[in-house]
Amino acid sequence: MDFIAQVINGLSTGGMYALVAIGYTMVYGIAKMINFAHGEIIMVGAYFAYFVSSRLGLPAPIAVVFSIVGCAVLGMTIEKVAYKPLRNSGSLAVLITAIGVSYLLQNVFLIIFGSASISFPRFLESGQFEFLSLKISYISLLSLILTFGCTALLMLFVNKTRIGKAMRAVSEDKGAAQLMGINVDNTISITFAIGSGLGAIAGIIYGLSYSLINPYLGTMLGIKAFIAAVLGGIGNIKGAMVGGLIIGIAEALTIAYVSSTFSDAVVFGILIFILLVKPAGLFGKNVRDKV
């Protein structure tokens, strides 16, 4: 029974990774770039919710909505200001810019809030839900519901709506999509907005789970979520969710049965293993370059 409890803990943490990984995978799938500033968006989301709730004293639902909308607007702004001018540049220029944006966001919040960890407001009671002798915390349950719910809604959005079809078209061939009348710029901006909004939700879950937030929280969380996206097959939404859950379970089992010291090593070991065995990821497809 203890093993199942640890798996549930892993699924809860993995859900948070999955939400972030989906942001990575959407941006890569459509804009063909790795947004390494995405980890800092998570941090910004947590601080937005903290500021509205603790500093302004507004109710939790308003704080959550403000965080999601604020991060969506921030993601679109970053795309317009930092990434759009580099759309025809090499991948190295985009990579350096993404890292620069990441440090910029981190340092802005360091200046405003300082480097010390601060308490995140309690949006949720710290109780437990009992099911077949298993005790599942409300936060774990919320994390799982949000992960599966957001993934299902996102897949429905991508497959059934006009904007979602435009996203798939841009992902397949940007030039052809433009010739067919699709506004590529708007499609990419919407992608950044959705990915950043999901990052805000992950930031709030992080704050609820660990109770403390600081300007560095997005660094390791973002790296592990990126590994989850690679594991699932970057560019594949379902793969990002599965990858996140696998990373979360592997981390929880390592902490429970081996040592917390090795949890990060196991996660990075999974990345090395998947790159050696199946570089395209579990759900990715190998694409051969035409000569």
Side-chain angles (χ1 to χ4, degrees):
M1 197 59 76
D2 180 61
F3 177 80
I4 298 174
Q6 294 304 330
V7 170
I8 292 172
N9 285 336
L11 287 173
S12 171
T13 309
M16 186 168 58
Y17 293 149
L19 289 173
V20 184
I22 290 171
Y24 274 116
T25 214
M26 284 186 70
V27 169
Y28 179 81
I30 293 167
K32 305 299 179 195
M33 62 162 287
I34 305 292
N35 180 20
F36 278 111
H38 193 58
E40 310 316 321
I41 297 286
I42 305 158
M43 176 270 294
V44 173
Y47 270 98
F48 276 172
Y50 157 79
F51 181 81
V52 173
S53 179
S54 296
R55 298 284 181 93
L56 301 183
L58 296 175
I62 295 177
V64 172
V65 171
F66 180 86
S67 175
I68 294 171
V69 174
C71 282
V73 173
L74 178 64
M76 291 172 69
T77 306
I78 291 172
E79 192 277 325
K80 291 287 184 193
V81 175
Y83 300 143
K84 187 180 174 183
L86 300 174
R87 203 165 286 167
N88 296 318
S89 303
S91 56
L92 184 60
V94 178
L95 174 66
I96 292 170
T97 304
I99 293 171
V101 172
S102 171
Y103 278 108
L104 174 67
L105 291 174
Q106 195 176 86
N107 280 279
V108 166
F109 278 77
L110 270 170
I111 293 169
I112 297 173
F113 294 100
S115 59
S117 295
I118 55 178
S119 296
F120 193 79
R122 303 302 305 173
F123 292 159
L124 201 64
E125 294 295 328
S126 56
Q128 291 181 326
F129 170 78
E130 288 195 30
F131 177 72
L132 298 176
S133 306
L134 283 172
K135 292 181 179 177
I136 307 169
S137 70
Y138 292 150
I139 294 171
S140 297
L141 197 62
L142 176 70
S143 174
L144 288 174
I145 291 171
L146 285 175
T147 303
F148 285 101
C150 288
T151 306
L153 285 174
L154 193 58
M155 293 187 74
L156 200 65
F157 177 80
V158 170
N159 290 309
K160 299 294 181 185
T161 66
R162 190 180 181 86
I163 300 173
K165 289 174 183 174
M167 286 178 171
R168 286 160 51 203
V170 173
S171 172
E172 289 292 329
D173 190 325
K174 205 179 291 181
Q178 199 160 21
L179 288 173
M180 295 299 292
I182 294 172
N183 190 323
V184 174
D185 289 340
N186 286 349
T187 305
I188 292 175
S189 293
I190 292 169
T191 304
F192 269 82
I194 294 173
S196 300
L198 291 174
I201 296 173
I204 293 169
I205 293 174
Y206 180 96
L208 293 173
S209 301
Y210 298 100
S211 302
L212 293 173
I213 59 172
N214 61 60
Y216 303 108
L217 73 87
T219 306
M220 186 53 77
L221 179 57
I223 291 173
K224 288 182 180 176
F226 175 68
I227 292 173
V230 174
L231 174 62
I234 194 157
N236 187 302
I237 294 173
K238 187 169 64 177
M241 188 193 77
V242 173
L245 296 179
I246 291 174
I247 292 292
I249 293 171
E251 196 177 51
L253 293 180
T254 306
I255 292 171
Y257 297 110
V258 184
S259 168
S260 59
T261 310
F262 295 109
S263 62
D264 290 345
V266 168
V267 172
F268 287 105
I270 290 173
L271 173 66
I272 294 169
F273 178 76
I274 197 69
L275 288 177
L276 290 173
V277 176
K278 199 171 187 307
L282 297 175
F283 291 85
K285 295 177 182 175
N286 289 314
V287 179
R288 293 182 179 178
D289 291 332
K290 294 179 181 177
V291 179

